[in-house]
Amino acid sequence: MEIPYTRTNRPDTGLFNAKIGIWLFLASEVMLFGGLFSSYIFLRVGADYHWPVHELTLWPGFVNTIVLIVSSVTVVMAWANLKMRKIAQYKLCMWVTIICAGVFMCLKAYEYNGKFHHIGVKLTDGTILTGHFPEEGYRVKLKGGSTVTLNLQTADPAYFLKWCVTPNPQFKTEAGQPQPLDQQGALMAFIDALVPGDHDSSSLGQLRRDAAAKDQKSVKLTATAPLEFAVKESKTFSHTATSITFRDGTVVEGASVEDKMTLQVDKVDVRSSLDEDKALAWHYLGDEWKKAFEEHSKEEAESHKKFDPRDERYLRHVKQMEIHAPTVAEHNTQHGGKHSAEAHAPGEEHAAGGHAAHYPEIVIDRKDVAFWSSFTPKWNTYYAIYFTLTGLHGMHVVAGALVLFYFLVFDGRRLKEDPEHLANRVEVGGLFWHFVDLVWIFLFPLLYLL
Amino acid sequence: MAHDNHDDLSKHVKTYMKIGGWLIFFTFVTVGLSFVELPTHGDNLLVGMALAAFKATLVGLIFMHLNHERSLIYKVLLFTLVFVVGLFVLIYLSGQNPLHFGGFEGVTPGH
Amino acid sequence: MSAATATLDHHGAHAHDHSHDHHELGFWRKYIFSTDHKVIGIQYGLSGMVFLLFGFFLMMVMRWTIAYPGEAMPGMMMLTHLPLVGEFFTGWVERWAPGGVVSPALYNMFGAMHGTIMVFFGIVPLGFAAFGNFVMPLQIGTVDMAFPRLNMMSFWFFFISGVIMFGSFLLPTGAVQTGWTMYSPLADTDQMGVKNVWMHGHTWWLLAMVFNISASLLGSVNFITTAINLRAKGLTWFRVPFFTWAMMVTSFLLLLAFPPLEVAALLQLADRVFDASFYLPTGLVDGGKHIDISGGGNPLLYQHLFWFLAHPEVYVLILPAFAIISDVLPCNARRPLWGHKLMIYAALTLAFLSFIVWAHHMYLTGMGTMMSTFFQITTVLISVPSVILLTCLMITLWGGSIRYNTQMLFATAFLPMFGIGGLTGLPLAFTFLDLFLHDTYYVIGHFHYVVAPGTIFALFAGVYHWYPKITGRCMNDFLGKLHFWPSLLFMNVIFGPMLYQGMIGFHRRWYDGGKYFEQVTSGHLWTNEVISFGAWGLALSQVPFILNVFISIKGGKKVTSDNPWGATTIEWAAPNIPPHGNFVTEPVAYRGPYEYSVPGAKSDFTPQFEADAGTPASQAAVAQAHH
């Protein structure tokens, strides 16, 4: 049995099966990205914050645009060469296309990595500071940890012990018995989550059974020596002045909890500040930086006179300042003459570590922070749609490159025996590849430029 | 399709390279224009999107051979385009409520 | 699956005679990872029916707590005493139905999953994927789908998504509980604080939907390509039966409407897993605390993306029903389908309009009067092609000599049942009435009339109609009637009172059936009990069907002809239990698809695939086909 019209065109439609198939598939892809683009419009039109324009570092996006255009040319040339049976050129073109895909994804990874480590902090008065955390990150710190209360239904010792800085913590029960907190294996934990019933043979499992027999919901353990914790905020449920509640329900009590955020500031944005003169940022950065900011504002206001002061473009230049040095003096010498409209994401060039030498470091009280996040989907809807669009597009790049790679490397027999069929396949793969390029043609200006 | 002829195809290959060059050129233009501050930012958006649409058309027509394709494929794409535009426009408008009911003649709503 | 396997084996020798050049495949490749469109169709069909039954079970549990809130459900505790699985259920029942009393959380869970399973795992796989896969390639006289391996992949994506969906019931958080529509912000923030978001029912729901949507996309690309490029010789577009047309239109709906739902699901996934705020407005407070999100999003975006799919989805649910009825009705009335062309154009118009009516689900969102009016107009317009379809089918019956076998009973019952469903929808199209009826049982009654006694009856008709082609035997007619009459009765007992309840003001999501809202419901609560007994009665009346399906595989009356109903379309040219590759000789279409009772013809039907016909008209058709 053979399916008709896999190689040749059906006379009345003039098409082979895969050609119809790929165009239908692309039609559904158009709807997929159409849905995403219309989400972009909806979010941008309805945004209640200053939509970022020219905020992303330009060059990786620009290079990627060129790379994709080149790959688009080579993939269609690969098809034409195969049609003409110029096998060497066909192979060369295909390799170039696949390498282009690789370059594209590497640059993408570089960009993403920068954003994962870049932090935005919105203070309670609406001022936004961006920058980097020191290497250890932002941690809620607990000192002199003495007791741990485990919620027996949900507790997961590995979950909270991961954040214990004190090496080798030991616990004893209220009765004074030593109580090890070993954890059941990951596999067993998974089975436990899926299949009701008690499969846990670890010490915690035993503890749980003992407590259940006594109708206890939780159990309190005492540390044999004071413990220190430094916890990622997202792992905590809440904390008080002396205790931290973890997301698994575990409560650790101690002498004191300190919740301060160290930030190496690379940009100040007062566009949403309640009162920019008294902005909280100056409380932390100091008057010298405030003065520098005012000078910067004045300069920018002068060069953007033609705009209405409510215009986004005016605000973007006048009410924001990038910081390029640890002190005001250095900042002025380094950046004195430079106030072009060209903006680049500060600090993304050096993804992690070593920022202290470049930026002023401040320590912010957590209670002054309304919201903070790295530049991930959490930071605002612009970054959310940025990651969704480019992430999905990146997956298409990978999928397209894999398909082309398959045709090039694993379809050798077809190349020898039935090159016409392979040409059809390459054509169809190429159509997908062009579509991927086409999407990027819209993505690049929408996300990087406009 | 006209591609069965080899000479024809080699000519096509040259076209592909030329179009690639133009696409790169227009990428530079797009970037440059985004730094030119037109009367409103909406104008910048309009120009940028028009350029992108033009580039996309080039890719579609030349690289994806939509300049000489079968009618069936045009039909499929036409419908898709109509629905995408519907999706854009209707979702956009539903957030805008462009028309207001001004009340009957002589009667102001709320009175 | 095993049941179908048995007969296929039984007829193996017979089937083998017809095969041209295919070599014998092993069990796994032949019945499990098969690329044969018929096997995939049967796989889809059986899993679809299992899902339908499962979704129905969920509803029966819900009906208990609606009728008797707070009372222990009989049989719930029995689960814990079952051999082997009893221990497994003990913890689960204790958590979700302590003492056998259905908890509100369980009610919400079952409610959300009932909708999801019925729509995405029951009706679409059965109506579109199963019948489409089995019948459509046969009907256009080809050997298989255009992309058999994609077809197999489509089923297995669907299978994976089903497993994930089932699995989510067993998670510690339970399955998703926020209604089958998953409206944000509730669906975004529900149980947001769980330790591991990946082990949450909602995340699993979204992942399952991504697989389900991918399966649908692969299926629809395949269907359209097959229908366009693999039609038999002579099968010009207007000789293609309405069945295949409807399947093609359905495929287009799936192809173009599903991607925005995929977007909706992805954005919701981003909201839940990556803390994005696509659907979350600024300043959202939950439990007296500001949620740790950036805000700036909009819950309406979700509704737009969701309903952009979910309204065309309605037509995905009913077009396959029309497809089946358009084959069953002419065949058993011995009359040509009235207005074949008209129906095709109506279906195309329906599909086109279905893309621009979605926001009539959103009148209450404060969308603005002008947009509401626009969607009101398109919604009223779309009733025109629907009425054309139904009217054509009714006129087909005129002057026929009707053969009341089981499939015909279901097919004729479909007409008034679907009619009620459609007509009760009209008031909802108008904003001023919808304000009153929105989210009440009236809406539930309306769309269930369309889908349950409407589409599901059509699906039953299809099963009885094509069963001989699938197994070589007929289903039992007595059991069939024992299935039909109680089903018809109970369907109306269930959904009729719902319309009445809705007008009183019963809200669709009350888990206690409205006991708490006495000022609205007092004096009317007894209707809940009536409906619930209707539901359980409907369950009982499915027993003859289930028995019939399985018993008839071995015990049904053997059919002696490849065309037992005297039908005219090409699938009846294939041998019963068609082998891999389908036809003995390549079929050719000589004439239109519905030549029943042609004056002067030698019998009361002239199949498309037979060259010699008595009438001059069909001789002309033959000439045209060869031309």
Side-chain angles (χ1 to χ4, degrees), chain A residues 193-207:
Chain A
L194 277 183
V195 185
D198 205 341
H199 314 277
D200 190 354
S201 58
S202 67
S203 62
L204 182 70
Q206 192 52 47
L207 198 62

Side-chain angles (χ1 to χ4, degrees), chain A residues 158-278:
Chain A
Y159 189 77
F160 77 94
L161 281 180
K162 188 180 167 196
W163 309 102
C164 182
V165 186
T166 319
N168 206 11
Q170 301 288 330
F171 298 95
K172 55 180 192 275
T173 60
E174 280 175 298
Q177 298 285 323
Q179 175 63 52
L181 276 183
D182 60 330
Q183 177 65 9
Q184 58 178 333
L187 181 65
M188 279 318 283
F190 184 78
I191 293 170
D192 227 21
L194 277 183
V195 185
D198 205 341
H199 314 277
D200 190 354
S201 58
S202 67
S203 62
L204 182 70
Q206 192 52 47
L207 198 62
R208 192 186 284 146
R209 280 186 288 274
D210 291 350
K214 286 184 278 177
D215 215 17
Q216 265 178 289
K217 289 258 174 358
S218 61
V219 68
K220 200 174 198 174
L221 302 177
T222 317
T224 51
L227 301 177
E228 236 179 87
F229 282 85
V231 193
K232 224 174 166 174
E233 194 189 36
S234 59
K235 304 295 171 188
T236 68
F237 182 75
S238 64
H239 59 79
T240 66
T242 56
S243 74
I244 294 179
T245 306
F246 286 81
R247 278 216 173 185
D248 68 341
T250 306
V251 182
V252 182
E253 279 165 289
S256 68
V257 172
E258 186 201 73
D259 193 359
K260 284 188 185 338
M261 185 186 271
T262 310
L263 187 72
Q264 291 142 2
V265 186
D266 61 22
K267 194 166 100 183
V268 185
D269 171 2
V270 299
R271 284 178 295 178
S272 304
S273 300
L274 291 175
D275 180 350
E276 54 188 87
D277 266 345
K278 293 181 195 144

